Amino acid sequence: MAHPKRKISKTRRDKRRTHYKAAIPNVVNCSNCGAPTLYHRVCSECGYYKGQLAIEPKVKG
Amino acid sequence: MRHGKKFNHLGRKSAHRKAMLANMACSLIEHKRIKTTLAKAKALRPYVEPMITRSKVNTTHNRRTVFSYLQNKEAVKELFDEIGGKVAARPGGYTRILRTGFRLGDAAEMCIIELVDYNETMGAKSTGAKKKRTRRSKAKAEDAPAADATETASDASTEAPAEGGES
């Protein structure tokens, strides 16, 4: 079986990893309460989705 | 090879998956809204919707067919006695999946799957039958026969002189 002839140097390894990036989530403000939410998700603060109440929010006690 | 085998196995063998879907369907029928992962909700939807369609016609055969899947007589009773009447006017699409966020621990995408007719707040203003939409253009339909007519007319006019030339 074929094997690597040389160890990959730290520089070479790190250069490969420069393209490993975390994606930035597309955050918008909820149209009802203004809390930051993601698209196509129910607002976790107020339970609104597409401008309508979808899920009753939990009452914080 | 798994070519064309499209449905999600959910990391389970067939019997395990069927049992899980039956349990989830019973929970959905009992509670009208359940919280689960997006993958399971998407697998549940094509499983439970045909049963809800069957529940519109309350016959012994339909009850027994649904019971063979659910194995839960309380759920079958609830489905045929309560839900069947409530969804009678709806032509399919009885469930709604709303994404709610990501679970702590494994970051699985979570959602809520619910029966559309039991959510009082969502879509309340758009009640009643939706206006039937068609993507067929009326103008095109009218143009097409007219275009044919003109073509045939032009054909006839070109043919006529040619015939005249021969004779």
Side-chain angles (χ1 to χ4, degrees):
Chain A
M1 289 289 284
H3 274 358
K5 189 170 185 174
R6 294 257 173 253
K7 179 179 179 175
I8 300 282
S9 69
K10 278 174 266 180
T11 309
R12 195 150 185 192
R13 179 200 67 199
D14 292 348
K15 277 202 287 190
R16 180 174 67 238
R17 291 182 186 170
T18 58
H19 292 283
Y20 297 177
K21 288 164 190 164
I24 302 165
N26 209 351
V27 176
V28 290
N29 291 329
C30 172
S31 60
N32 181 56
C33 68
T37 55
L38 293 171
Y39 277 119
H40 309 116
R41 304 288 186 296
V42 176
C43 175
S44 56
E45 295 295 320
C46 65
Y48 270 63
Y49 182 72
K50 283 187 175 175
Q52 297 176 60
L53 183 62
I55 300 157
E56 299 288 339
K58 280 179 190 167
V59 180
K60 284 166 189 170
Chain B
M1 288 188 284
R2 62 158 308 285
H3 292 179
K5 298 175 188 173
K6 276 189 175 171
F7 74 97
N8 193 343
H9 296 86
L10 298 168
R12 286 157 175 84
K13 299 282 186 184
S14 158
H16 186 181
R17 187 166 56 240
K18 275 182 202 163
M20 188 196 69
L21 288 171
N23 284 335
M24 288 173 74
C26 291
S27 297
L28 180 66
I29 289 162
E30 186 190 343
H31 299 286
K32 319 294 185 257
R33 172 187 285 178
I34 56 174
K35 183 181 174 187
T36 180
T37 64
L38 184 62
K40 282 183 189 167
K42 283 186 170 180
L44 180 62
R45 188 168 47 183
Y47 182 86
V48 74
E49 294 226 356
M51 291 184 206
I52 301 176
T53 303
R54 274 190 186 274
S55 76
K56 290 174 171 181
V57 184
N58 188 0
T59 60
T60 309
H61 178 245
N62 276 351
R63 278 175 175 263
R64 285 180 179 166
T65 309
V66 171
F67 184 78
S68 76
Y69 289 105
L70 296 183
Q71 297 288 320
N72 181 330
K73 63 181 177 183
E74 284 82 14
V76 173
K77 187 171 157 56
E78 171 76 13
L79 180 64
F80 279 85
D81 295 353
E82 307 292 330
I83 297 172
K86 194 138 184 173
V87 302
R90 191 172 291 280
Y94 314 106
T95 58
R96 177 187 286 132
I97 293 174
L98 290 169
R99 300 171 190 211
T100 52
F102 298 91
R103 181 160 66 189
L104 287 177
D106 65 352
E109 186 160 22
M110 300 302 287
C111 70
I112 271 169
I113 179 166
E114 63 183 8
L115 296 175
V116 172
D117 289 295
Y118 283 85
N119 190 337
E120 305 297 332
T121 54
M122 189 88 183
K125 63 184 175 185
S126 65
T127 49
K130 267 188 186 172
K131 201 181 168 188
K132 198 180 174 187
R133 284 180 62 193
T134 176
R135 293 175 66 186
R136 292 182 184 167
S137 167
K138 275 181 189 170
K140 248 184 194 173
E142 282 164 13
D143 279 2
D148 287 347
T150 50
E151 271 172 28
T152 48
S154 62
D155 285 348
S157 59
T158 50
E159 275 166 25
E163 279 165 15
E166 274 169 22
S167 65

